[in-house]
Each structure stands twice: as structure tokens, then as C-alpha cells.
Amino acid sequence: MGNMSNFVKRVRDIMRNDAGINGDAQRIEQIAWILFLKVYDAKEQDWEWDEEDYQSIIPEKCRWRNWGHDEDGKGMTGDILLDFINNTLFPTLKNLPVNADTPIKKAIVQTTFADANNYMKDGVLLRQVISVIDELDLTDYEESHAFGEIYETILKELQSAGSSGEFYTPRAVTDFMAQMIKPQIGEKMADFACGTGGFITSWLKELKKKVKTTEDEEMYANSIYGIEKKQFPYMLCITNMLLHDLDVPQVFHDNTLLRDVLDYTEDDQVDVILMNPPYGGSEKTEVKNHFPSDLASSETADLFMSVIMYRLKENGRAAVILPDGFLFGTDNAKVAIKTKLFSEFNVHTIVRMPGSVFSPYTSITTNILFFDRNGTTKETWFYRLDMPEGYKHFSKTKPMKLEHFA
């Protein structure tokens, strides 16, 4: 187990020597696709065990076990490995035959590789990275559990390397929101801009406690729905789901805002919505055309708020993080969206978070809105969460913790 915490460091040290890798973001992206193939291979071993005629969507020579796993140290390395990865593996996986009938668990290989890159230029170093990753024993419960933690670390690192406007919602916040929502077996939860899957994993962690029977197990595995428009977080999210034993991750690589909100029917509605919509993005006119004119804002968070209202079931519950600009903004669209929210939904609680929850990425003050679709808002409990004793502000080394919400 000790080699686990060391894992990221070992991989990073090898990659430092490769001229093709430029900065943290590329390094993490490189680790990510290799990890995906390792995790997917472990899953395929389970599927082969369960279905006697299981057929991989990946051609034999491209399966991890046949090129990544190198038992006796005689596997491909150097230029031969590089040539294989760049000219066989990537073109094959990017062009896998996928259509509407391809099962999700197979289609995800092609969507994961659609925009993935191999940045490394040194085949010997690449073999070393692959060997470190192959040492992980994902069939061992303890180890794959520990790996779930490692994966969290990778996601956080990635966040610090990330660009503006994409904030990794601290684990304490997603856990708190999932706990307050009180997941029930049989419910469907959605996040329409799910990033690497933080809210989904907090939801699953909470729901897991209620699983008693095989039927529960099945409903648990089908309880989530995610959409992420960016390729890279999407790939991380899928791997995250496979690690959480969701064999058929219902997470889609798509842009939520490119659908007419008026086209949503009851089939598109869910019991629970947990999310932190992207803020600050300003959307093209083409996107605004998908919304009724009074709700057509150019601010991304406002548009997501409308999607949430159209996709929450009667008696459904939602917890959503929104910036001050949403609560206190007075432009026409914001006022119309808030009027709809407070008159058609019961906004029962607003928790105002301290400014530095998302630092060092942004100092925007954010609020968690909790609302239900069970009538109009009669009264709202407004709670200002101040900095805990002894903290000037949150930081990478002093992050927000779950107990701060006590």
C-alpha cells in the first residue's frame, strides 16, 4: 500500500525527463488515458467472468493486457512502443466503430479517445510510466479503494493546473450537499456540467449506505446521469465511474446548453439535481436561441439555472452552487429566472459560503441554493457560513472540511 502515495510522484519524476511533455496539464492528461486503459482492462476481466461470450470492442493487439502489461520485461519499448502507440493504438481507438446501438460500456472507449493525445516522445520513459501504472492491482479491493483516493489526488492536481472558469468543487462542499439532499434508493440524480464527477461520487457515497438488496444494488448503479462538454474532464469522469463500480456510466460527452429547454419532457426530468454550473462564461447567440426570450441570458450560470428548472421532477429536490451575481443581479433575464424560481419552486435554504472556498482559483462569493419543486417559496432560511476559527482564508493546504458545515 505504501507504493500508492508514492505513485503520482514516481510517474511525475519519469515524465520530467521527457521533452514532449510541457507542463502539468499535459502530464496529467498523459497519465489519464494510460490509467483509463488499465482500469478498463480490469473491468473487462470482470465482464469476461460474468458473460461467457463477452467480446471486447478493442482489437486484441490494442488491449492493455497485450501491450501495457509486461510480465517478463520483454514487452515493446523505445521507438517500437512509440510507433505502436502513435500509429496503431491511437488511430484504432479514435476510430472504433460506434453507433447508437453500441452499449455504453463499449462506446466509452471511443469517446474517451476522441480527443486524447500522446505527448511523450521517449519510448523508454513511456514504458517506465506504463510499468508503474501496471503495478496497480485493481482487482484487489483494498488496493482499488486506495486507488480511488489516489485518483482524487490526481483530479485535484489537475485542477490546480486547470484554466480559469473551471473550479473543482471542494469535496467537503459536494459531500455536504449530497448529505443534505438525503439520497433514496430508486431516485435518479443529474449533474448537467459534471466535470470529473465530484457531485456524482458524493451522491453515490451517500446512497451506498442505503443499499441492502441486489435490486437496490441495481438501482444504485443506475441512479446517476451526467453531461460534460469538455473532452478531458469527461475522460476522467468515466474512469472515476468505472472505479466506483458503475459498469455502465451514464455520463455523456455533450453540451447541455445546445438543446431547446422547451423540448424537455417528463422523460428528461430527474428526482435530484446537484451541481455547480460554470459561471462567467458568456454564451453565443446560438446558445441563447435554445431558451425562451425572457430567460435568455448571456451568462452561463443563468442558462443552467433554467435547464435545472425545466428538468426537475414534480416534488424533486435540488442543491446548486451559484455566484452572488445570480442572487443580486438585476438585469432582465436574471430577474425573470429568479421570479420563475421563487414562484414555481420552494427555495427553502440559502447557505452563503466564505469567499475563499474556491481559492486560489477565484474569490467569487458563492451560495448554495436548496430548493424543491413542491409549490411556491413561502420563506427562505438564509445562513451565512463564516470562516472557521483560526482560518484567515482557505487554501490548498488548509482546505474547507466537512465539519465546517456542522
Side-chain angles (χ1 to χ4, degrees):
M1 295 297 294
N3 68 345
M4 272 294 176
S5 47
N6 203 1
F7 166 81
V8 179
K9 187 182 177 317
R10 285 170 67 201
V11 173
R12 181 182 279 158
D13 290 345
I14 300 165
M15 286 188 179
R16 280 223 167 91
N17 298 315
D18 190 298
I21 297 259
N22 193 349
D24 272 346
Q26 287 190 352
R27 182 164 56 218
I28 293 165
E29 199 177 320
Q30 180 84 19
I31 297 174
W33 67 258
I34 302 176
L35 265 177
F36 169 81
L37 289 175
K38 165 76 178 172
V39 171
Y40 194 78
D41 198 66
K43 278 287 157 205
E44 287 203 304
Q45 290 173 32
D46 294 347
W47 299 334
E48 283 163 355
W49 194 253
D50 296 338
E51 312 163 34
E52 50 188 61
D53 52 356
Y54 178 79
Q55 279 282 301
S56 178
I57 189 168
I58 304 178
E60 272 314 302
K61 64 174 186 284
C62 291
R63 297 178 78 183
W64 178 266
R65 58 194 71 176
N66 297 321
W67 66 269
H69 181 59
D70 176 16
E71 223 159 298
D72 47 12
K74 294 197 178 74
M76 287 185 281
T77 183
D79 291 346
I80 297 173
L81 176 66
L82 264 186
D83 177 64
F84 167 75
I85 286 180
N86 293 331
N87 302 319
T88 303
L89 184 73
F90 268 73
T92 305
L93 300 186
K94 285 176 188 281
N95 298 302
L96 288 173
V98 168
N99 60 34
D101 303 324
T102 311
I104 293 178
K105 69 181 188 185
K106 293 187 172 179
I108 56 181
V109 180
Q110 193 271 330
T111 35
T112 294
F113 274 84
D115 295 313
N117 297 294
N118 170 43
Y119 294 110
M120 291 182 72
K121 292 196 159 67
D122 182 323
V124 175
L125 294 174
L126 182 50
R127 166 50 70 192
Q128 290 172 11
V129 170
I130 289 165
S131 301
V132 173
I133 288 176
D134 194 51
E135 281 170 32
L136 299 166
D137 181 5
L138 300 177
T139 52
D140 169 342
Y141 176 76
E142 285 301 312
E143 187 141 331
S144 70
H145 196 74
F147 184 67
E149 307 285 303
I150 291 283
Y151 199 71
E152 282 280 299
T153 319
I154 294 174
L155 298 185
K156 281 204 187 75
E157 302 258 338
L158 182 126
Q159 190 55 40
S160 357
S163 53
S164 64
E166 300 163 68
F167 309 119
Y168 170 93
T169 313
R171 184 56 58 242
V173 179
T174 60
D175 281 353
F176 166 70
M177 289 164 67
Q179 284 174 13
M180 293 301 108
I181 278 286
K182 300 189 173 56
Q184 305 299 322
I185 296 287
E187 289 183 325
K188 186 94 168 179
M189 166 274 193
D191 179 344
F192 304 121
C194 66
T196 54
F199 281 101
I200 297 176
T201 45
S202 289
W203 160 271
L204 291 170
K205 188 158 62 179
E206 236 2 68
L207 186 61
K208 191 80 172 163
K209 302 172 184 169
K210 304 237 157 98
V211 173
K212 303 278 184 283
T213 64
T214 357
E215 286 88 326
D216 292 356
E217 201 56 74
E218 190 150 320
M219 287 195 275
Y220 163 88
N222 286 303
S223 68
I224 63 109
Y225 175 82
I227 300 179
E228 173 50 46
K229 77 170 183 180
K230 291 201 165 140
Q231 169 65 28
F232 185 47
Y234 169 79
M235 161 159 114
L236 294 165
C237 186
I238 288 287
T239 312
N240 206 352
M241 296 302 103
L242 292 172
L243 284 166
H244 279 81
D245 280 331
L246 263 63
D247 285 356
V248 183
Q250 291 169 54
V251 178
F252 303 93
H253 183 213
D254 201 359
N255 182 351
T256 300
L257 301 179
L258 295 181
R259 238 183 104 180
D260 277 11
V261 287
L262 299 177
D263 292 347
Y264 289 122
T265 64
E266 282 186 14
D267 291 344
D268 296 303
Q269 294 182 339
V270 293
D271 304 286
V272 171
I273 295 172
L274 286 173
M275 65 183 292
N276 179 6
Y279 329 134
S282 108
E283 296 296 337
K284 298 194 272 303
T285 319
E286 180 223 351
V287 167
K288 293 205 244 179
N289 295 341
H290 296 288
F291 293 81
S293 57
D294 58 331
L295 304 177
S297 165
S298 54
E299 153 69 59
T300 319
D302 296 350
L303 297 173
F304 272 104
M305 206 50 204
S306 291
V307 173
I308 291 167
M309 292 192 284
Y310 280 100
R311 298 195 69 173
L312 191 62
K313 265 188 186 158
E314 265 321 306
N315 295 314
R317 325 186 281 298
V320 181
I321 300 180
L322 289 162
D324 269 3
F326 174 81
L327 283 188
F328 306 112
T330 53
D331 61 75
N332 295 347
K334 276 192 180 49
V335 171
I337 294 166
K338 284 183 282 197
T339 305
K340 183 176 171 68
L341 177 64
F342 282 84
S343 54
E344 297 176 25
F345 298 78
N346 173 20
V347 184
H348 57 81
T349 307
I350 297 178
V351 176
R352 182 173 173 75
M353 291 195 286
S356 58
V357 172
F358 289 95
S359 73
Y361 316 113
T362 174
S363 55
I364 296 173
T365 302
T366 52
N367 308 273
I368 311 176
L369 272 65
F370 289 93
F371 53 95
D372 302 337
R373 190 170 190 170
N374 59 6
T376 164
T377 306
K378 303 278 190 293
E379 56 178 21
T380 303
W381 189 70
F382 198 95
Y383 183 87
R384 192 184 71 200
L385 186 67
D386 290 329
M387 289 304 295
E389 199 83 1
Y391 280 73
K392 268 205 177 59
H393 53 81
F394 295 119
S395 63
K396 265 171 83 169
T397 45
K398 289 176 79 171
M400 187 164 201
K401 298 191 177 80
L402 188 57
E403 64 258 26
H404 296 154
F405 281 103

